[in-house]
Amino acid sequence: MIVQLAKEHAKQKQIKEKQDELDHKEADEKKLKDLLLDLPNKGLTTAEQDMEISKSVRDIMRDLTNNPNLDPTKVTKAELRKEGLDPQTIEEVMDLKRIFMDVKDGSPIDVSEIKHEIEEVIKDFKEDKDELKEDIKVLRKDDDYLHKLHEA
């Protein structure tokens, strides 16, 4: 009985962690989509747009890594692995770092290139979200099964 309760508690904890991660991904994806909407369809970015992109990207990187002090200019894959981040998140952070580095100095950048890079990260977020949703679904199904066993 105690073992079964411990298993149920562990499952609930996993579901909550996955749901929290999913919520963060959705919020971060929305920030990136908002950035896309604020950019023109063609031309070069302005210093003001670069500043907005760099702030948003920095904030998303900090959210993904759960590190409010992350310095986007210095972050490395090795550092992120050491922090225990999964390979998908590491790649997303490094993709965001590339965007950050492109715009950090305020020099004009081709809008279509920046938009493409942002769209690629959004695509990765969508894939992650689909995986998280599936994980949650499986965990809940397993949890429902354990509850039915417990009631029997």
Side-chain angles (χ1 to χ4, degrees):
M1 181 71 162
I2 293 174
V3 171
Q4 197 170 6
L5 287 174
K7 285 182 181 179
E8 286 181 38
H9 179 71
K11 287 262 190 220
Q12 289 300 319
K13 185 178 176 184
Q14 282 182 304
I15 291 170
K16 183 183 180 332
E17 288 171 354
K18 297 276 185 188
Q19 186 63 54
D20 287 348
E21 188 176 349
L22 178 60
D23 293 344
H24 280 273
K25 287 275 184 187
E26 287 175 342
D28 292 339
E29 179 184 7
K30 183 179 181 335
K31 289 176 191 173
L32 289 175
K33 286 180 176 179
D34 289 345
L35 268 179
L36 286 177
L37 292 174
D38 291 342
L39 292 172
N41 289 327
K42 58 184 176 181
L44 300 175
T45 60
T46 65
E48 184 178 290
Q49 289 167 330
D50 286 351
M51 179 69 79
E52 183 61 34
I53 294 167
S54 67
K55 284 181 184 177
S56 293
V57 167
R58 179 204 62 208
D59 292 348
I60 293 168
M61 291 173 73
R62 288 177 174 175
D63 185 52
L64 288 173
T65 61
N66 202 24
N67 179 354
N69 301 314
L70 180 96
D71 181 348
T73 63
K74 296 180 181 174
V75 69
T76 65
K77 283 185 178 184
E79 175 187 327
L80 297 173
R81 275 192 297 271
K82 192 170 135 184
E83 294 289 324
L85 294 176
D86 63 89
Q88 290 167 307
T89 302
I90 291 170
E91 285 307 312
E92 289 163 357
V93 170
M94 297 312 290
D95 289 345
L96 289 166
K97 177 183 178 174
R98 277 188 284 286
I99 296 168
F100 181 88
M101 298 303 282
D102 286 347
V103 299
K104 73 177 176 67
D105 66 358
S107 298
I109 305 289
D110 185 335
V111 170
S112 62
E113 288 178 30
I114 291 296
K115 285 182 115 174
H116 176 73
E117 289 180 49
I118 292 171
E119 287 166 349
E120 287 299 311
V121 175
I122 290 171
K123 183 178 155 190
D124 291 342
F125 279 9
K126 285 181 183 176
E127 290 171 9
D128 285 354
K129 286 177 13 184
D130 289 344
E131 285 181 33
L132 287 165
K133 287 175 185 176
E134 186 60 31
D135 289 349
I136 291 168
K137 183 178 171 183
V138 168
L139 286 166
R140 285 192 172 135
K141 185 177 177 183
D142 289 349
D143 195 47
D144 290 344
Y145 176 74
L146 286 174
H147 279 191
K148 286 179 184 175
L149 280 180
H150 180 66
E151 291 171 0

